[in-house]
Amino acid sequence: MVDIGGVRVEQDGPFTLIAGPCVIESRDAVLRHAERIAAITERVGVPYIFKSSYDKANRTSVDSFRGPGLEAGLEILAEVRERFGVPVITDVHERQDVTAVAEAVDVLQIPAFLCRQTDLVLAACGSGKPVNIKKGQFLSPAEAVPMVHKAHSTGNTQVMVTERGYAFGYQNLVVDYRSLVLLRETGAPVLFDATHSVQLPGGAGEATAGQPRFIPHLARAAVAVGVAGVFMEVHEDPSHALSDGSNSLALDQIPALLGDLKALDTLVKGTA
């Protein structure tokens, strides 16, 4: 079990939602998204952690929007936590940023492309804060087990691992649902990223494309397998999102989908 600001993320407990816009586009946009999603999750009865990134360091093009940066971004994320009373998670890309990020948010997230960066993983876990490691799309479930053991070697047991699809040929990802079962053997709560799993990496040339119509289907399948949480990038207007809009879930689709996921989760885990 991982305790995140009073939200208990555990394999056999009710699933937790991690959701928000991919990148901090502005203070107002982040606060608007956080307020709306928090209200929806409270109404549906799903534990919630807000997610957004202060810097997207692995954009396809050098011209792509990356976010406000470390200092301004962390101020905004800290405001979300204070104003809405929800835990906050964000990506950390550089070892030297770990201390500042750990002071501002509740969970540090290791991006998928960096999941095997030993110094970054050890520094994040050494902060004492909970850590979510996104499984690289280049790793099989078996290859992902050592990265969790690496994290646990710091003595930090507050570690989660997130499945987000596996590279399958050019500009395509597939989800092997056996991974959700195999990753449980690490002892870490397993989450499923329903939005990055529908990416078509580099599918738009100098940007990532996606197939968002599959998000609800993949999310329902993951909850049916039994996951500790679902991760989704959400935007009020995906067509105008500054990052990953092509694989984001439209905000107005959340209530119906969460209702489905909660019913499935209760059926699978018997947590009613």
Side-chain angles (χ1 to χ4, degrees):
M1 187 272 292
V2 177
D3 189 332
I4 302 170
V7 173
R8 296 167 59 93
V9 182
E10 50 189 334
Q11 196 61 51
D12 297 323
F15 85 95
T16 297
L17 176 69
I18 298 177
C22 175
V23 66
I24 297 173
E25 298 178 355
S26 70
R27 172 182 174 274
D28 288 347
V30 162
L31 295 179
R32 191 167 61 246
H33 280 82
E35 183 175 29
R36 290 184 61 186
I37 301 171
I40 293 168
T41 54
E42 183 176 9
R43 185 168 66 248
V44 178
V46 172
Y48 174 53
I49 299 168
F50 177 81
K51 181 270 170 185
S52 198
S53 298
Y54 59 85
D55 180 23
K56 298 300 293 185
N58 58 356
R59 299 304 305 275
T60 303
S61 169
V62 70
D63 297 319
S64 297
F65 180 77
R66 289 181 52 168
L70 179 69
E71 185 175 349
L74 292 182
E75 287 181 3
I76 293 169
L77 294 173
E79 185 176 358
V80 168
R81 182 169 59 174
E82 182 178 349
R83 286 188 60 171
F84 305 114
V86 297
V88 174
I89 182 173
T90 196
D91 296 313
V92 58
H93 295 87
E94 303 285 347
R95 182 176 55 176
Q96 61 265 28
D97 294 344
V98 166
T99 299
V101 176
E103 290 176 354
V105 304
D106 300 277
V107 191
L108 281 64
Q109 180 163 280
I110 305 296
F113 282 123
L114 300 179
C115 70
R116 294 189 69 174
Q117 295 293 327
T118 299
D119 289 345
L120 177 61
V121 172
L122 295 181
C125 293
S127 73
K129 282 293 184 76
V131 175
N132 180 35
I133 305 177
K134 302 289 285 291
K135 182 179 80 63
Q137 52 273 67
F138 47 87
L139 293 180
S140 68
E143 291 173 302
V145 170
M147 79 182 184
V148 182
H149 291 165
K150 184 186 297 183
H152 284 162
S153 74
T154 65
N156 188 342
T157 59
Q158 299 288 286
V159 176
M160 306 176 291
V161 60
T162 298
E163 172 61 60
R164 49 127 327 139
Y166 185 82
F168 186 75
Y170 293 125
Q171 286 86 45
N172 208 351
L173 299 174
V174 296
V175 177
D176 180 354
Y177 285 91
R178 294 176 298 180
S179 178
L180 301 176
V181 178
L182 294 170
L183 290 175
R184 292 177 195 163
E185 297 173 4
T186 65
V190 178
L191 313 177
F192 177 68
D193 184 341
T195 48
H196 285 98
S197 293
V198 302
Q199 274 188 337
L200 301 175
E206 292 201 1
T208 291
Q211 299 174 310
R213 68 191 181 99
F214 294 118
I215 293 171
H217 303 286
L218 297 186
R220 286 192 288 262
V223 170
V225 173
V227 289
V230 175
F231 180 108
M232 295 190 294
E233 290 192 334
V234 173
H235 199 279
E236 61 191 359
D237 185 3
S239 65
H240 289 91
L242 298 182
S243 178
D244 276 2
S246 61
N247 57 263
S248 291
L249 183 74
L251 200 156
D252 60 10
Q253 295 182 31
I254 293 180
L257 179 56
L258 284 185
D260 290 347
L261 298 184
K262 185 176 181 182
L264 276 170
D265 188 66
T266 299
L267 179 65
V268 170
K269 297 175 182 172
T271 53

